[in-house]
mmCIF file of all heavy atoms in Angstrom:
data_model
loop_
_atom_site.group_PDB
_atom_site.id
_atom_site.type_symbol
_atom_site.label_atom_id
_atom_site.label_comp_id
_atom_site.label_asym_id
_atom_site.label_seq_id
_atom_site.Cartn_x
_atom_site.Cartn_y
_atom_site.Cartn_z
ATOM 1 N N PHE J 270 -39.210 18.170 23.102
ATOM 2 C CA PHE J 270 -40.320 19.192 22.750
ATOM 3 C C PHE J 270 -40.903 19.692 23.997
ATOM 4 O O PHE J 270 -40.989 19.118 24.966
ATOM 5 C CB PHE J 270 -41.357 18.607 21.859
ATOM 6 C CG PHE J 270 -40.768 18.019 20.516
ATOM 7 C CD1 PHE J 270 -41.266 16.886 20.084
ATOM 8 C CD2 PHE J 270 -39.744 18.702 19.921
ATOM 9 C CE1 PHE J 270 -40.665 16.383 18.869
ATOM 10 C CE2 PHE J 270 -39.294 18.193 18.713
ATOM 11 C CZ PHE J 270 -39.727 16.916 18.274
ATOM 12 N N PRO J 278 -46.191 17.555 35.525
ATOM 13 C CA PRO J 278 -45.528 16.418 36.094
ATOM 14 C C PRO J 278 -46.195 16.132 37.541
ATOM 15 O O PRO J 278 -47.067 16.927 38.044
ATOM 16 C CB PRO J 278 -44.065 16.977 36.447
ATOM 17 C CG PRO J 278 -44.282 18.430 36.422
ATOM 18 C CD PRO J 278 -45.350 18.755 35.535
ATOM 19 N N TYR J 282 -54.595 13.326 40.780
ATOM 20 C CA TYR J 282 -55.703 13.003 41.635
ATOM 21 C C TYR J 282 -56.994 13.822 41.123
ATOM 22 O O TYR J 282 -56.882 14.698 40.361
ATOM 23 C CB TYR J 282 -55.434 13.447 43.099
ATOM 24 C CG TYR J 282 -54.205 12.746 43.625
ATOM 25 C CD1 TYR J 282 -52.938 13.307 43.607
ATOM 26 C CD2 TYR J 282 -54.306 11.376 44.028
ATOM 27 C CE1 TYR J 282 -51.891 12.661 44.178
ATOM 28 C CE2 TYR J 282 -53.234 10.710 44.635
ATOM 29 C CZ TYR J 282 -52.036 11.220 44.677
ATOM 30 O OH TYR J 282 -50.972 10.594 45.213
ATOM 31 N N ILE J 333 -63.494 35.231 23.559
ATOM 32 C CA ILE J 333 -64.472 35.561 24.331
ATOM 33 C C ILE J 333 -65.061 36.960 23.999
ATOM 34 O O ILE J 333 -64.366 38.053 24.252
ATOM 35 C CB ILE J 333 -64.179 35.518 25.926
ATOM 36 C CG1 ILE J 333 -63.574 34.165 26.344
ATOM 37 C CG2 ILE J 333 -65.404 35.874 26.787
ATOM 38 C CD1 ILE J 333 -64.369 33.048 26.078
ATOM 39 N N LYS J 352 -57.884 28.920 30.882
ATOM 40 C CA LYS J 352 -59.038 29.078 31.726
ATOM 41 C C LYS J 352 -59.822 30.428 31.389
ATOM 42 O O LYS J 352 -59.223 31.451 30.851
ATOM 43 C CB LYS J 352 -58.664 29.209 33.226
ATOM 44 C CG LYS J 352 -57.956 28.025 33.697
ATOM 45 C CD LYS J 352 -58.896 26.810 34.007
ATOM 46 C CE LYS J 352 -58.276 25.748 34.711
ATOM 47 N NZ LYS J 352 -59.220 24.531 34.909
ATOM 48 N N PHE J 357 -66.801 36.803 41.128
ATOM 49 C CA PHE J 357 -68.047 37.355 41.704
ATOM 50 C C PHE J 357 -67.857 38.255 42.939
ATOM 51 O O PHE J 357 -66.956 37.873 43.793
ATOM 52 C CB PHE J 357 -69.039 36.170 42.112
ATOM 53 C CG PHE J 357 -69.170 35.087 40.951
ATOM 54 C CD1 PHE J 357 -68.914 33.753 41.268
ATOM 55 C CD2 PHE J 357 -69.475 35.650 39.642
ATOM 56 C CE1 PHE J 357 -69.036 32.892 40.268
ATOM 57 C CE2 PHE J 357 -69.693 34.533 38.666
ATOM 58 C CZ PHE J 357 -69.410 33.272 38.904
ATOM 59 N N GLY J 412 -66.235 25.322 29.510
ATOM 60 C CA GLY J 412 -67.007 24.497 30.428
ATOM 61 C C GLY J 412 -66.163 23.856 31.498
ATOM 62 O O GLY J 412 -64.940 24.122 31.501
ATOM 63 N N TYR J 413 -66.669 22.942 32.201
ATOM 64 C CA TYR J 413 -66.019 22.159 33.240
ATOM 65 C C TYR J 413 -65.626 20.803 32.580
ATOM 66 O O TYR J 413 -66.404 19.897 32.488
ATOM 67 C CB TYR J 413 -66.946 21.959 34.455
ATOM 68 C CG TYR J 413 -66.227 21.209 35.541
ATOM 69 C CD1 TYR J 413 -65.560 21.944 36.611
ATOM 70 C CD2 TYR J 413 -66.256 19.815 35.657
ATOM 71 C CE1 TYR J 413 -64.894 21.191 37.550
ATOM 72 C CE2 TYR J 413 -65.574 19.141 36.670
ATOM 73 C CZ TYR J 413 -64.982 19.826 37.564
ATOM 74 O OH TYR J 413 -64.256 19.224 38.667
ATOM 75 N N LEU J 440 -84.703 15.071 20.303
ATOM 76 C CA LEU J 440 -84.969 16.213 19.417
ATOM 77 C C LEU J 440 -86.135 17.017 19.787
ATOM 78 O O LEU J 440 -87.300 16.568 19.668
ATOM 79 C CB LEU J 440 -85.031 15.816 17.830
ATOM 80 C CG LEU J 440 -85.117 16.926 16.822
ATOM 81 C CD1 LEU J 440 -83.876 17.851 16.943
ATOM 82 C CD2 LEU J 440 -85.248 16.259 15.437
ATOM 83 N N LYS J 523 -82.549 7.593 22.794
ATOM 84 C CA LYS J 523 -82.434 7.061 21.454
ATOM 85 C C LYS J 523 -81.025 6.435 21.372
ATOM 86 O O LYS J 523 -80.259 6.538 22.374
ATOM 87 C CB LYS J 523 -82.598 8.161 20.464
ATOM 88 C CG LYS J 523 -81.237 9.205 20.556
ATOM 89 C CD LYS J 523 -81.227 10.151 19.415
ATOM 90 C CE LYS J 523 -80.069 10.974 19.357
ATOM 91 N NZ LYS J 523 -79.600 11.491 20.638
ATOM 92 N N ALA J 566 -70.438 -3.386 19.380
ATOM 93 C CA ALA J 566 -70.672 -3.826 20.651
ATOM 94 C C ALA J 566 -69.924 -3.072 21.771
ATOM 95 O O ALA J 566 -70.471 -2.710 22.779
ATOM 96 C CB ALA J 566 -70.335 -5.275 20.814
ATOM 97 N N GLY J 680 -73.843 8.577 38.085
ATOM 98 C CA GLY J 680 -72.931 9.110 39.126
ATOM 99 C C GLY J 680 -71.456 8.627 38.665
ATOM 100 O O GLY J 680 -71.281 8.084 37.553
ATOM 101 N N ALA J 723 -45.208 -44.012 37.743
ATOM 102 C CA ALA J 723 -46.040 -45.218 37.480
ATOM 103 C C ALA J 723 -46.226 -46.033 38.655
ATOM 104 O O ALA J 723 -47.331 -46.700 38.886
ATOM 105 C CB ALA J 723 -45.359 -45.967 36.343
ATOM 106 N N ALA J 725 -46.212 -45.135 41.982
ATOM 107 C CA ALA J 725 -47.147 -44.401 42.785
ATOM 108 C C ALA J 725 -48.478 -44.031 42.153
ATOM 109 O O ALA J 725 -49.473 -43.682 42.809
ATOM 110 C CB ALA J 725 -46.555 -43.181 43.423
ATOM 111 N N SER J 769 -49.177 -19.764 44.985
ATOM 112 C CA SER J 769 -48.915 -18.655 45.803
ATOM 113 C C SER J 769 -47.379 -18.383 46.109
ATOM 114 O O SER J 769 -46.923 -17.458 46.754
ATOM 115 C CB SER J 769 -49.633 -18.673 47.159
ATOM 116 O OG SER J 769 -49.154 -19.780 47.938
ATOM 117 N N VAL J 887 -47.692 -14.621 5.679
ATOM 118 C CA VAL J 887 -46.635 -15.490 6.043
ATOM 119 C C VAL J 887 -45.661 -15.782 4.825
ATOM 120 O O VAL J 887 -44.460 -15.675 4.968
ATOM 121 C CB VAL J 887 -47.157 -16.814 6.628
ATOM 122 C CG1 VAL J 887 -46.086 -17.850 6.731
ATOM 123 C CG2 VAL J 887 -47.720 -16.537 8.055
ATOM 124 N N THR J 919 -46.389 -7.693 -1.418
ATOM 125 C CA THR J 919 -45.316 -8.451 -1.330
ATOM 126 C C THR J 919 -44.421 -8.360 -2.637
ATOM 127 O O THR J 919 -43.213 -8.755 -2.504
ATOM 128 C CB THR J 919 -45.780 -9.944 -1.261
ATOM 129 O OG1 THR J 919 -46.374 -10.307 -2.551
ATOM 130 C CG2 THR J 919 -46.729 -10.227 -0.157
ATOM 131 N N TRP J 920 -44.948 -7.763 -3.627
ATOM 132 C CA TRP J 920 -44.091 -7.502 -4.823
ATOM 133 C C TRP J 920 -42.961 -6.555 -4.583
ATOM 134 O O TRP J 920 -42.059 -6.409 -5.399
ATOM 135 C CB TRP J 920 -44.982 -7.113 -5.925
ATOM 136 C CG TRP J 920 -46.021 -8.112 -6.449
ATOM 137 C CD1 TRP J 920 -46.060 -9.320 -6.048
ATOM 138 C CD2 TRP J 920 -47.199 -7.844 -7.298
ATOM 139 N NE1 TRP J 920 -47.166 -10.001 -6.552
ATOM 140 C CE2 TRP J 920 -47.864 -9.054 -7.305
ATOM 141 C CE3 TRP J 920 -47.616 -6.753 -7.872
ATOM 142 C CZ2 TRP J 920 -49.055 -9.234 -8.092
ATOM 143 C CZ3 TRP J 920 -48.872 -6.934 -8.683
ATOM 144 C CH2 TRP J 920 -49.403 -8.156 -8.796
ATOM 145 N N PHE J 986 -47.364 10.102 0.271
ATOM 146 C CA PHE J 986 -46.407 11.266 0.439
ATOM 147 C C PHE J 986 -44.991 10.775 0.895
ATOM 148 O O PHE J 986 -43.951 11.132 0.252
ATOM 149 C CB PHE J 986 -46.813 12.287 1.417
ATOM 150 C CG PHE J 986 -47.970 13.099 0.897
ATOM 151 C CD1 PHE J 986 -48.763 12.844 -0.230
ATOM 152 C CD2 PHE J 986 -48.340 14.240 1.726
ATOM 153 C CE1 PHE J 986 -49.651 13.671 -0.631
ATOM 154 C CE2 PHE J 986 -49.393 15.047 1.280
ATOM 155 C CZ PHE J 986 -50.076 14.772 0.111
ATOM 156 N N ALA J 1021 -46.801 16.015 4.719
ATOM 157 C CA ALA J 1021 -45.841 16.808 3.886
ATOM 158 C C ALA J 1021 -44.684 17.286 4.579
ATOM 159 O O ALA J 1021 -43.643 17.184 3.986
ATOM 160 C CB ALA J 1021 -46.705 18.072 3.373
ATOM 161 N N THR J 1102 21.502 8.614 -12.882
ATOM 162 C CA THR J 1102 22.122 9.421 -14.053
ATOM 163 C C THR J 1102 23.565 9.495 -13.871
ATOM 164 O O THR J 1102 24.348 9.402 -14.774
ATOM 165 C CB THR J 1102 21.422 10.684 -14.124
ATOM 166 O OG1 THR J 1102 20.096 10.625 -14.163
ATOM 167 C CG2 THR J 1102 21.929 11.600 -15.322
#
Side-chain angles (χ1 to χ4, degrees):
F270 303 140
Y282 298 97
I333 304 301
K352 301 284 186 181
F357 309 127
Y413 183 90
L440 182 61
K523 68 173 189 306
S769 61
V887 164
T919 71
W920 295 348
F986 283 11
T1102 303

